Amino acid sequence: MVSVTTPLVPSVEPSVDHVEAIADLLRAGTAFDVHVGEPEPPDDELTYPHYVVWGAPGSPALQRLSGDGGEVWTRTQITCVGLTVLDVIGAADRARRALHRKRPTIPGRRCGDIEQDPEAAVAPPVPDPSVKSPPGRQVYITALFFLLHSSPLTA
């Protein structure tokens, strides 16, 4: 019997794939909840600390005369949210450890290592005046930025 393998076609939404892969690595590498875009549960059901992962549309890695080769760079923001400054700092350390220099697996794509964006200054945690925890406590946040490159797998 002859086995025929079908080539794996990469997604046409690699920016979405990057966000999901980073969120999955964050979930696997930390003990905190991870929300993509915004927290899903109601505010009174959120646990602290937690992360909010924000993706952005990717940029092509190379400009080609023949068109888009499918390579893409993305920059993903990880917002660390906690009830104390130390909770946020600790969550940021855990996120960096879970992501930096890791290589995600995305079907149909070859990924590079995730890198913390060296040009994005990391700011100390600040209060978020728009959010209060269920008991009315102040919520603190800080943001980290990570870069990821991937290209389509070729047969």
Side-chain angles (χ1 to χ4, degrees):
M1 175 176 205
V2 176
S3 172
V4 177
T5 58
T6 307
L8 191 55
V9 178
S11 164
V12 296
E13 297 181 347
S15 301
V16 173
D17 297 337
H18 283 201
V19 170
E20 290 175 348
I22 287 172
D24 288 345
L25 284 171
L26 199 55
R27 284 183 190 99
T30 69
F32 306 135
D33 287 340
V34 177
H35 309 283
V36 176
E38 62 183 345
E40 298 85 20
D43 290 348
D44 62 344
E45 294 178 20
L46 287 173
T47 60
Y48 293 91
H50 65 261
Y51 302 105
V52 182
V53 179
W54 303 88
S59 300
L62 300 170
Q63 298 294 333
R64 297 178 178 214
L65 294 176
S66 62
D68 185 0
E71 300 92 355
V72 68
W73 276 101
T74 57
R75 186 172 190 245
T76 302
Q77 176 179 321
I78 309 298
T79 301
C80 307
V81 184
L83 297 178
T84 69
V85 169
L86 293 180
D87 283 348
V88 173
I89 292 171
D93 283 345
R94 288 174 187 237
R96 182 187 43 76
R97 193 173 327 114
L99 297 176
H100 188 67
R101 308 300 290 163
K102 299 297 189 297
R103 184 171 294 203
T105 301
I106 298 175
R109 299 196 71 79
R110 177 177 294 111
C111 296
D113 291 343
I114 298 171
E115 300 174 21
Q116 192 166 355
D117 188 343
E119 295 183 18
V122 178
V126 295
D128 183 344
S130 67
V131 179
K132 296 279 188 203
S133 73
R137 290 186 62 183
Q138 181 66 63
V139 173
Y140 295 87
I141 62 170
T142 197
L144 305 173
F145 295 89
F146 292 90
L147 303 171
L148 177 59
H149 169 263
S150 74
S151 58
L153 288 174
T154 55

